[in-house]
Amino acid sequence: MKNAVLKTFVPGALALLLALPTAVQAEEAATKPNVVILATGGTIAGAGASAANSATYTAAKVGIDKLIAGVPELSQLANVRGEQVMQIASESITNDNLLQLGRRVAELADSKDVDGIVITHGTDTLEETAYFLNLVEKTDKPIVVVGSMRPGTAMSADGMLNLYNAVAVAGSKDARGKGVLVTMNDEIQSGRDVSKSINIKTEAFKSPWGPLGMVVEGKSYWFRLPAKRHTMDSEFDIKDIKSLPNVGIAYSYGNVDDTAYKALAQSGAKAIIHAGTGNGSVSSRVVPALQALRKDGVQIIRSSHVNNGGFVLRNAEQPDDKNDWVVAHDLNPQKARILAMVALTKTQDSKELQRIFWEY
């Protein structure tokens, strides 16, 4: 009789014991944030010929599934899943690509089962994409853009830790409402402020106003908040933007002439970002052409190509009120182009454009 009871009990007990790990895993998964990684390509998905190749390699080679599998520690931070939105080097990203990515981010942000979004991106135009999303995504959920300066095949590759930190921040409740973020080299940067300052060092991404915080072993530490309008507080919404207007950048230098400005206008540019020296200064050889282009309806926006902190003051160097020009405030030329494109979907009025440049 005892043997019969034992035979009946043991299989049931064994089944219960075998089920316990599954139940524990399910409970742990339920307490973790859900983070989606959208992959676009870039160096973080690149591969070199050997481990010694850290600066020469082919970008956009590794798919999102392999990227995630290469960092198994991500599962300790969040329930992670990935999507391959595109697979290109970031210097080839177009306005249509920006819109495609922005719409997918918005769809995910609207999902109740998504707590945060990470975007892997090439570093050449990472700052532009981050600022674009910062302007048009109507959510307070963390959106983190991340890349790497070395391919995963290189010695001392930085992509694994950058991605780990990005998922940690995207899954963190205290990252909500801080706008689109960039995690590179252990720092948390504002997508509005940050720019690529060098192309062969892992500390390439810097802001003239400093990082928002740091990530240390998966934990975020915050030191300041972004002051400019973004995401939920923005007047722009990716769901309302069907296309982006043509905006060009003309670079100023000694002995510059007006050739580039006229060519941009002839190609259909609705606005031209003047990447000026110093305080967005405009050469006397160029002023007449810019005045004429403005009278023809082209918006002229004065920016500065000063590294790490060009700051353009209105009516300094040039009479902006008289010329009906706009100044880019502290935005570098490439970020000024992003804001101009987005702003021009709402208004063609230069005074409204100037308000937008002050506020964003």
Side-chain angles (χ1 to χ4, degrees):
M1 182 68 179
K2 288 182 179 179
N3 289 337
V5 172
L6 186 61
K7 287 180 181 178
T8 304
F9 172 75
V10 170
L14 182 60
L16 181 61
L17 289 172
L18 290 173
L20 281 176
T22 304
V24 171
Q25 290 170 357
E27 185 176 350
E28 288 179 350
T31 62
K32 291 176 184 175
N34 298 316
V35 174
V36 179
I37 303 177
L38 299 180
T40 68
T43 300
I44 197 169
S50 77
N53 293 114
S54 63
T56 55
Y57 53 86
T58 302
K61 282 292 186 181
V62 181
I64 183 58
D65 292 339
K66 286 188 176 181
L67 277 182
I68 293 174
V71 193
E73 293 82 2
L74 295 179
S75 63
Q76 301 170 12
L77 299 172
N79 303 311
V80 175
R81 63 182 174 89
E83 293 182 19
Q84 194 75 47
V85 180
M86 60 192 83
Q87 183 72 306
I88 55 179
S90 70
E91 68 270 18
S92 298
I93 285 181
T94 65
N95 289 350
D96 288 340
N97 293 141
L98 282 179
L99 292 172
Q100 174 192 358
L101 177 62
R103 288 168 185 149
R104 184 56 185 145
V105 170
E107 290 171 354
L108 290 170
D110 286 342
S111 300
K112 292 181 180 179
D113 64 345
V114 175
D115 299 303
I117 301 163
V118 170
I119 299 150
T120 62
H121 200 288
T123 59
D124 279 0
T125 59
L126 184 150
E127 65 193 79
E128 298 177 42
T129 296
Y131 187 41
F132 175 74
L133 298 174
N134 196 58
L135 293 170
V136 302
E137 299 298 337
K138 305 290 285 185
T139 182
D140 67 346
K141 293 180 181 180
I143 300 170
V144 183
V145 187
V146 65
S148 71
M149 296 305 298
R150 296 170 180 162
T153 52
M155 291 184 282
S156 297
D158 54 326
M160 285 181 64
L161 183 56
N162 285 348
L163 182 57
Y164 180 83
N165 287 341
V167 170
V169 173
S172 173
K173 291 181 180 179
D174 59 6
R176 294 179 74 107
K178 292 181 172 67
V180 173
L181 305 167
V182 173
T183 58
M184 297 278 289
N185 201 45
D186 301 330
E187 294 181 334
I188 307 171
Q189 301 278 1
S190 166
R192 180 207 184 262
D193 299 338
V194 75
S195 289
K196 186 176 182 178
S197 60
I198 192 169
N199 66 330
I200 54 171
K201 292 185 177 182
T202 56
E203 66 268 29
F205 280 77
K206 298 293 181 182
S207 162
W209 320 122
L212 301 182
M214 297 281 295
V215 190
V216 182
E217 296 183 350
K219 180 173 174 53
S220 304
Y221 297 88
W222 302 90
F223 305 114
R224 71 178 182 92
L225 297 174
K228 298 295 185 177
R229 293 176 65 178
H230 60 77
T231 54
M232 291 296 290
D233 189 42
S234 176
E235 65 200 84
F236 309 108
D237 189 336
I238 186 65
K239 296 172 185 176
D240 299 328
I241 300 176
K242 307 304 179 186
S243 63
L244 292 167
N246 181 2
V247 176
I249 301 174
Y251 198 93
S252 186
Y253 50 89
N255 200 48
V256 68
D257 62 24
D258 58 16
T259 303
Y261 303 88
K262 290 179 177 178
L264 287 171
Q266 289 171 1
S267 70
K270 303 301 180 185
I272 296 174
I273 309 299
H274 167 72
T277 55
N279 182 24
S281 305
V282 185
S283 166
S284 59
R285 301 178 68 194
V286 173
V287 168
L290 296 191
Q291 290 172 330
L293 289 173
R294 180 67 196 106
K295 288 179 180 178
D296 289 340
V298 178
Q299 297 287 348
I300 304 299
I301 301 169
R302 289 198 303 117
S303 182
S304 171
H305 63 63
V306 171
N307 292 331
N308 300 318
F311 197 103
V312 181
L313 300 173
R314 189 168 178 82
N315 296 316
E317 297 290 346
Q318 287 296 325
D320 296 299
D321 289 346
K322 177 182 177 182
N323 291 333
D324 196 27
W325 295 347
V326 174
V327 299
H329 194 22
D330 65 323
L331 294 176
N332 63 26
Q334 55 269 34
K335 287 181 182 280
R337 171 185 165 271
I338 293 292
L339 181 54
M341 289 194 302
V342 173
L344 286 169
T345 66
K346 283 255 187 180
T347 183
Q348 305 294 318
D349 182 77
S350 61
K351 291 183 176 58
E352 267 295 282
L353 288 175
Q354 187 62 77
R355 174 193 66 79
I356 288 168
F357 269 87
W358 291 140
E359 294 182 8
Y360 293 86

